[in-house]
mmCIF file of all heavy atoms in Angstrom:
data_model
loop_
_atom_site.group_PDB
_atom_site.id
_atom_site.type_symbol
_atom_site.label_atom_id
_atom_site.label_comp_id
_atom_site.label_asym_id
_atom_site.label_seq_id
_atom_site.Cartn_x
_atom_site.Cartn_y
_atom_site.Cartn_z
ATOM 1 N N THR A 38 -1.156 -4.738 23.521
ATOM 2 C CA THR A 38 -1.135 -4.752 22.062
ATOM 3 C C THR A 38 -0.108 -5.740 21.516
ATOM 4 O O THR A 38 -0.143 -6.059 20.340
ATOM 5 C CB THR A 38 -0.804 -3.355 21.509
ATOM 6 O OG1 THR A 38 0.469 -2.929 22.036
ATOM 7 C CG2 THR A 38 -1.876 -2.345 21.925
ATOM 8 N N ARG A 39 0.801 -6.215 22.388
ATOM 9 C CA ARG A 39 1.794 -7.186 21.953
ATOM 10 C C ARG A 39 2.181 -8.077 23.129
ATOM 11 O O ARG A 39 2.155 -7.655 24.285
ATOM 12 C CB ARG A 39 3.028 -6.505 21.358
ATOM 13 C CG ARG A 39 3.735 -5.539 22.268
ATOM 14 C CD ARG A 39 4.836 -4.793 21.539
ATOM 15 N NE ARG A 39 5.961 -5.661 21.224
ATOM 16 C CZ ARG A 39 6.851 -5.407 20.276
ATOM 17 N NH1 ARG A 39 6.725 -4.312 19.535
ATOM 18 N NH2 ARG A 39 7.863 -6.209 20.062
ATOM 19 N N ILE A 40 2.529 -9.329 22.808
ATOM 20 C CA ILE A 40 2.965 -10.310 23.801
ATOM 21 C C ILE A 40 4.324 -10.839 23.372
ATOM 22 O O ILE A 40 4.519 -11.182 22.203
ATOM 23 C CB ILE A 40 1.955 -11.472 23.920
ATOM 24 C CG1 ILE A 40 0.615 -10.968 24.470
ATOM 25 C CG2 ILE A 40 2.511 -12.588 24.791
ATOM 26 C CD1 ILE A 40 -0.482 -12.031 24.451
ATOM 27 N N ASN A 41 5.255 -10.889 24.312
ATOM 28 C CA ASN A 41 6.598 -11.389 24.038
ATOM 29 C C ASN A 41 6.847 -12.653 24.857
ATOM 30 O O ASN A 41 6.762 -12.633 26.089
ATOM 31 C CB ASN A 41 7.648 -10.336 24.386
ATOM 32 C CG ASN A 41 7.568 -9.111 23.508
ATOM 33 O OD1 ASN A 41 7.910 -9.164 22.332
ATOM 34 N ND2 ASN A 41 7.116 -8.001 24.064
ATOM 35 N N TYR A 42 7.137 -13.758 24.165
ATOM 36 C CA TYR A 42 7.516 -15.008 24.824
ATOM 37 C C TYR A 42 9.010 -15.249 24.610
ATOM 38 O O TYR A 42 9.567 -14.898 23.569
ATOM 39 C CB TYR A 42 6.755 -16.192 24.240
ATOM 40 C CG TYR A 42 5.269 -16.216 24.513
ATOM 41 C CD1 TYR A 42 4.361 -15.878 23.511
ATOM 42 C CD2 TYR A 42 4.772 -16.590 25.750
ATOM 43 C CE1 TYR A 42 2.996 -15.917 23.743
ATOM 44 C CE2 TYR A 42 3.406 -16.630 25.993
ATOM 45 C CZ TYR A 42 2.521 -16.293 24.984
ATOM 46 O OH TYR A 42 1.176 -16.333 25.213
ATOM 47 N N LYS A 43 9.626 -15.894 25.595
ATOM 48 C CA LYS A 43 11.009 -16.373 25.471
ATOM 49 C C LYS A 43 11.052 -17.777 26.059
ATOM 50 O O LYS A 43 11.501 -17.987 27.183
ATOM 51 C CB LYS A 43 11.981 -15.423 26.168
ATOM 52 C CG LYS A 43 12.092 -14.073 25.504
ATOM 53 C CD LYS A 43 13.236 -13.241 26.051
ATOM 54 C CE LYS A 43 13.369 -11.936 25.274
ATOM 55 N NZ LYS A 43 14.526 -11.126 25.728
ATOM 56 N N VAL A 44 10.560 -18.724 25.267
ATOM 57 C CA VAL A 44 10.359 -20.091 25.738
ATOM 58 C C VAL A 44 11.362 -21.013 25.055
ATOM 59 O O VAL A 44 11.593 -20.911 23.841
ATOM 60 C CB VAL A 44 8.912 -20.566 25.462
ATOM 61 C CG1 VAL A 44 8.690 -21.962 26.009
ATOM 62 C CG2 VAL A 44 7.917 -19.585 26.080
ATOM 63 N N THR A 45 11.942 -21.932 25.820
ATOM 64 C CA THR A 45 12.900 -22.893 25.285
ATOM 65 C C THR A 45 12.188 -23.967 24.473
ATOM 66 O O THR A 45 10.997 -24.242 24.699
ATOM 67 C CB THR A 45 13.683 -23.560 26.418
ATOM 68 O OG1 THR A 45 12.754 -24.199 27.311
ATOM 69 C CG2 THR A 45 14.500 -22.546 27.190
ATOM 70 N N PRO A 46 12.874 -24.592 23.521
ATOM 71 C CA PRO A 46 12.272 -25.716 22.777
ATOM 72 C C PRO A 46 11.771 -26.798 23.722
ATOM 73 O O PRO A 46 12.453 -27.175 24.686
ATOM 74 C CB PRO A 46 13.427 -26.214 21.912
ATOM 75 C CG PRO A 46 14.300 -25.009 21.719
ATOM 76 C CD PRO A 46 14.224 -24.255 23.014
ATOM 77 N N GLY A 47 10.562 -27.286 23.462
ATOM 78 C CA GLY A 47 9.942 -28.287 24.303
ATOM 79 C C GLY A 47 9.209 -27.719 25.504
ATOM 80 O O GLY A 47 8.567 -28.466 26.248
ATOM 81 N N GLY A 48 9.271 -26.412 25.705
ATOM 82 C CA GLY A 48 8.622 -25.781 26.848
ATOM 83 C C GLY A 48 7.298 -25.129 26.475
ATOM 84 O O GLY A 48 6.812 -25.233 25.334
ATOM 85 N N ALA A 49 6.719 -24.452 27.438
ATOM 86 C CA ALA A 49 5.444 -23.768 27.232
ATOM 87 C C ALA A 49 5.461 -22.450 27.993
ATOM 88 O O ALA A 49 6.167 -22.299 28.998
ATOM 89 C CB ALA A 49 4.276 -24.627 27.690
ATOM 90 N N GLY A 50 4.712 -21.512 27.508
ATOM 91 C CA GLY A 50 4.591 -20.212 28.151
ATOM 92 C C GLY A 50 3.155 -19.747 28.123
ATOM 93 O O GLY A 50 2.360 -20.175 27.279
ATOM 94 N N ARG A 51 2.804 -18.889 29.059
ATOM 95 C CA ARG A 51 1.423 -18.424 29.160
ATOM 96 C C ARG A 51 1.405 -16.919 29.371
ATOM 97 O O ARG A 51 2.214 -16.370 30.117
ATOM 98 C CB ARG A 51 0.706 -19.133 30.312
ATOM 99 C CG ARG A 51 -0.812 -18.960 30.306
ATOM 100 C CD ARG A 51 -1.435 -19.732 31.475
ATOM 101 N NE ARG A 51 -1.182 -21.160 31.384
ATOM 102 C CZ ARG A 51 -1.945 -22.019 30.701
ATOM 103 N NH1 ARG A 51 -2.996 -21.567 30.030
ATOM 104 N NH2 ARG A 51 -1.666 -23.302 30.687
#
Side-chain angles (χ1 to χ4, degrees):
T38 58
R39 58 187 289 159
I40 295 173
N41 294 289
Y42 292 104
K43 293 190 176 183
V44 183
T45 58
R51 193 179 298 274

